[in-house]
């Protein structure tokens, strides 16, 4: 038989807050705040530190390993959070950990537009129209 207090925790959602808190080790914000939902992430192929020495990852949590596996192909922050089934705020903390270790590369979406020669207004309008149809 389940104790009465466990039933109440499940009903009010309090039980769901423990896991994100432990995954982030109690942190509520990432050390860097430049991630947007469309920041593109990729796993570093040959991670090196500032002295060009190969980076050896420290102990990684299962979620960190899932992120590195998922980002072998470029993915946006929103996609990674969805695939992990975690809130975006928690995912950003984990992503910042991996970027700080040199294991993950983050690219702002505007740099992609600049490399392509600027904004493609036709593409932006098509995306806007597609979102409106949803």
């Amino acid at each position: 038989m389940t104790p009465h207090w466990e039933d109440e925790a499940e009903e009010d959602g309090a039980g769901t807050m423990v896991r994100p808190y432990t995954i982030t080790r109690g942190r509520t914000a990432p050390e860097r705040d430049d991630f947007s939902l469309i920041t593109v992430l990729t796993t570093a192929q040959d991670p090196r530190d500032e002295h060009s020495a190969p980076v050896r990852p420290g102990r990684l949590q299962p979620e960190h390993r899932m992120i590195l596996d998922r980002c072998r192909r470029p993915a946006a922050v929103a996609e990674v959070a969805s695939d992990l089934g975690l809130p975006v705020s928690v995912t950003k903390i984990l992503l910042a950990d991996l970027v700080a270790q040199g294991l993950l590369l983050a690219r702002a979406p505007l740099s992609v537009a600049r490399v392509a020669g600027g904004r493609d207004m036709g593409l932006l309008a098509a995306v806007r129209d597609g979102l409106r149809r949803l």
Side-chain angles (χ1 to χ4, degrees):
M1 176 153 191
T2 305
H4 178 68
W5 58 269
E6 283 184 13
D7 291 337
E8 289 175 5
E10 288 177 16
E11 288 175 10
D12 69 5
T16 61
M17 294 308 295
V18 173
R19 184 168 179 261
Y21 182 83
T22 58
I23 290 171
T24 63
R25 296 184 193 117
R27 296 172 292 164
T28 58
E31 290 185 22
R32 53 184 285 167
D33 61 356
D34 59 338
F35 292 125
S36 72
L37 290 176
I38 57 174
T39 298
V40 179
L41 304 156
T42 8
T43 304
Q45 296 299 319
D46 185 24
R48 303 240 171 215
D49 66 12
E50 63 274 1
H51 305 291
S52 297
V55 172
R56 301 286 180 236
R59 287 186 101 169
L60 296 177
Q61 295 176 207
E63 291 80 10
H64 285 127
R65 289 193 295 274
M66 288 189 295
I67 290 170
L68 291 174
D69 186 51
R70 171 60 178 94
C71 292
R72 288 184 185 177
R73 292 181 29 187
V77 170
E79 292 174 305
V80 174
S82 175
D83 289 346
L84 291 175
L86 292 172
V88 172
S89 58
V90 172
T91 303
K92 286 181 178 182
I93 293 170
L94 299 174
L95 294 172
D97 293 344
L98 293 170
V99 169
Q101 291 181 49
L103 300 172
L104 193 66
L105 305 173
R107 183 178 66 229
L110 289 179
S111 65
V112 174
R114 287 188 194 117
V115 169
R119 296 182 192 129
D120 180 351
M121 295 308 286
L123 176 62
L124 292 174
V127 170
R128 179 197 63 211
D129 295 340
L131 290 171
R132 284 183 181 160
R133 284 193 296 269
L134 293 176

